[in-house]
Amino acid sequence: MKERIKMRRATRVVQTAVQAYRQRAYPYQNILLPQDMLPKSLRADKGTAALILFYSCHYMRGTIKSGYAMRKIVGLHAQSPEFFDPHHAMQLPYEEVRKRLHAMIPYKSEQIARSWIENSRRLVLHWHGDPRIIFSVARKQSDLYRYVTNRVTVRLQGRTGNLNEDGFMGFQKKMANMLAYFLESCRLVQPFPQEKV
């Protein structure tokens, strides 16, 4: 027997759940989100908070728990704040970055260390070292994808062998959305207007 979904009812249920989640109402009132782990002292400096959230996105993938990763990233910032200054981080030796990241979070250290350094360079080169600027330039979600994801890089490099520097290494649509979610949730950027589907 085929079940039919009543789209109006399904939409109402999903909208109610999303609204409750955003307002932290029942059953979401006691959840601790990764971005909630940023101490108030770090949130007070909006530029620092944005950078910590940007760099944390390097770990928001695979089997790693996002809460664990965020706690470790905040710990890394306490020990080595220079890792979160893209002007400095882009010049760090790969082996130093790999060792420090592996000591904090033993997960894909080789790959993430390369991305950490290169994405620092791209952030400085294209966005003056501030991920919030991306959101002041992007007018809609498709702009965000164009600026943050590096699907073009992967496609062009595979076909031509040339590296096009659009976007950030390891960032696809999921990561672009995660970055937007973190920054919007912490009120560091304005939410995008809702696009019609």
Side-chain angles (χ1 to χ4, degrees):
M1 180 169 141
K2 261 188 171 174
E3 294 292 326
R4 297 187 72 171
I5 296 174
K6 294 187 177 179
M7 287 308 291
R8 239 183 307 177
R9 182 175 290 173
T11 300
R12 195 173 332 129
V13 168
V14 170
Q15 286 173 336
T16 301
V18 168
Q19 184 178 8
Y21 175 78
R22 287 183 176 152
Q23 296 173 349
R24 305 264 178 108
Y26 179 82
Y28 305 106
Q29 72 274 21
N30 294 323
I31 60 172
L32 184 62
L33 302 171
Q35 63 271 27
D36 295 337
M37 296 176 189
L38 273 179
K40 287 184 181 179
S41 59
L42 292 177
R43 284 174 181 255
D45 181 341
K46 294 179 186 274
T48 298
L51 286 165
I52 291 170
L53 293 169
F54 170 78
Y55 285 110
S56 74
C57 285
H58 289 82
Y59 285 98
M60 300 299 156
R61 63 178 77 192
T63 58
I64 194 165
K65 301 273 187 209
S66 55
Y68 165 80
M70 188 64 78
R71 273 193 304 277
K72 294 295 191 172
I73 288 290
V74 169
L76 177 62
H77 182 270
Q79 288 181 5
S80 305
E82 70 277 6
F83 270 56
F84 297 83
D85 172 359
H87 296 88
H88 182 82
M90 67 187 236
Q91 298 176 36
L92 289 169
Y94 164 77
E95 195 55 30
E96 179 184 342
V97 175
R98 188 197 64 74
K99 284 181 181 175
R100 188 71 57 90
L101 293 179
H102 186 77
M104 289 303 287
I105 307 172
Y107 178 81
K108 298 195 179 206
S109 311
E110 297 83 7
Q111 178 187 24
I112 292 174
R114 275 190 286 281
S115 296
W116 194 287
I117 295 165
E118 177 59 20
N119 288 342
S120 296
R121 190 185 70 75
R122 292 180 186 191
L123 190 60
V124 168
L125 181 66
H126 300 294
W127 306 105
H128 304 290
D130 188 344
R132 296 172 297 170
I133 294 174
I134 300 166
F135 293 83
S136 68
V137 173
R139 298 286 178 234
K140 54 190 176 185
Q141 196 168 23
S142 57
D143 291 338
L144 176 69
Y145 292 155
R146 189 161 41 101
Y147 299 143
V148 174
T149 66
N150 78 341
R151 295 182 71 182
V152 173
T153 302
V154 173
R155 193 168 57 245
L156 283 176
Q157 192 173 19
R159 271 198 331 240
T160 66
N162 296 328
L163 182 64
N164 183 321
E165 288 191 350
D166 290 344
F168 298 100
M169 290 178 66
F171 280 58
Q172 300 301 320
K173 286 185 176 181
K174 176 191 169 193
M175 212 59 69
N177 289 328
M178 180 68 71
L179 179 62
Y181 166 68
F182 280 164
L183 296 179
E184 288 173 10
S185 175
C186 292
R187 294 183 172 85
L188 299 172
V189 298
Q190 292 297 314
F192 287 117
Q194 292 295 316
E195 294 182 41
K196 292 187 179 183
V197 181

